[in-house]
Amino acid sequence: MAKAKWKNPQKSYISKMSISDFRLIDNIDFVPGKNLNLLVGKNGTAKSTILGMIAQGFSFNPNAIIGVTKSQFDTINKKDTLTTDEESKKKKFINLLTYSGKNFESKVNEHFKLSKSDVTKKEHAIISLQDSKNKTIQFKIGSNNYNDRVNPRLVTRRIDDINDTEKEKDTSSSNIIFPVIYLGLN
């Protein structure tokens, strides 16, 4: 009997990753495999930093996907009778939750406890993805310390097609819509 082969339904994969000047990492470039990768090493060798950088660029927030916030869902969910629109929003929202009823959303404070020394006001990572249409999408992660914030933060900038001219590139702050859960050992 032949074994069934798992296939990525989106046919998207991380095609290249570069991280520099962040925590223990001076400079690494690597091309991960398309289906499965293992990061192995002793404690304190930047395995979690690499995973955190990957998770930083993804989001699966229902508000970004279907325009329904958690508070809107909670309000709809408390009602006894729903309009057709509310019923549709409720169903769509529920379909975007994990098995335990939580969002597929990974937040930077789950990946990193940033300190002033982590923030150098520069680009730290470039992660390239190949999509099903063979288009390369990138996100860049940089650190910043805004005067209006108590804590420093990482900012993700997405470039939807690296083949666009500089004028066409949209580098607005946004994550790639894809379900990623970062499992930390906190």
Side-chain angles (χ1 to χ4, degrees):
M1 182 190 280
K3 284 186 177 180
K5 219 176 178 185
W6 181 85
K7 293 188 179 189
N8 179 345
Q10 281 78 25
K11 295 189 173 134
S12 298
Y13 60 93
I14 296 173
S15 57
K16 186 177 181 193
M17 188 168 173
S18 301
I19 302 175
S20 61
D21 298 323
F22 191 72
R23 300 215 163 158
L24 293 176
I25 300 173
D26 288 328
N27 189 22
I28 60 169
D29 293 312
F30 66 97
V31 177
K34 289 183 182 180
N35 292 316
L36 177 69
N37 294 275
L38 298 176
L39 292 176
V40 181
K42 292 181 179 181
N43 288 346
T45 56
K47 299 179 303 294
S48 294
T49 297
I50 292 167
L51 294 174
M53 283 295 190
I54 292 170
Q56 175 65 26
F58 295 96
S59 180
F60 210 66
N61 183 324
N63 189 32
I65 299 168
I66 59 171
V68 178
T69 65
K70 175 79 168 101
S71 63
Q72 289 171 323
F73 171 75
D74 290 342
T75 301
I76 291 169
N77 209 25
K78 289 176 187 172
K79 291 183 175 183
D80 293 329
T81 326
L82 300 176
T83 66
T84 307
D85 184 49
E86 289 171 331
E87 188 66 47
S88 173
K89 286 179 181 180
K90 179 178 176 177
K91 188 175 182 178
K92 286 177 184 177
F93 191 92
I94 289 171
N95 285 336
L96 295 175
L97 298 177
T98 65
Y99 182 72
S100 61
K102 298 196 169 144
N103 285 346
F104 273 106
E105 185 168 24
S106 198
K107 297 182 179 163
V108 72
N109 64 355
E110 295 170 350
H111 316 154
F112 304 110
K113 305 279 189 268
L114 292 176
S115 69
K116 299 276 185 203
S117 63
D118 291 325
V119 179
T120 55
K121 297 184 180 181
K122 65 188 310 185
E123 189 173 275
H124 296 292
I126 301 174
I127 299 173
S128 301
L129 295 112
Q130 207 67 37
D131 74 4
S132 59
K133 297 177 181 117
N134 215 24
K135 183 171 86 170
T136 301
I137 300 165
Q138 282 185 335
F139 60 87
K140 298 178 179 189
I141 300 167
S143 59
N144 216 328
N145 195 6
Y146 295 102
N147 294 332
D148 64 337
R149 297 180 187 271
V150 176
N151 297 318
R153 68 182 222 151
L154 293 176
V155 178
T156 303
R157 303 272 180 222
R158 183 175 77 194
I159 300 173
D160 284 327
D161 189 345
I162 64 165
N163 296 318
D164 286 347
T165 65
E166 286 301 315
K167 204 173 201 179
E168 294 172 317
K169 286 182 184 173
D170 177 13
T171 59
S172 57
S173 181
S174 59
N175 292 32
I176 294 169
I177 305 297
F178 199 84
V180 171
I181 297 177
Y182 176 81
L183 300 174
L185 298 175
N186 297 334

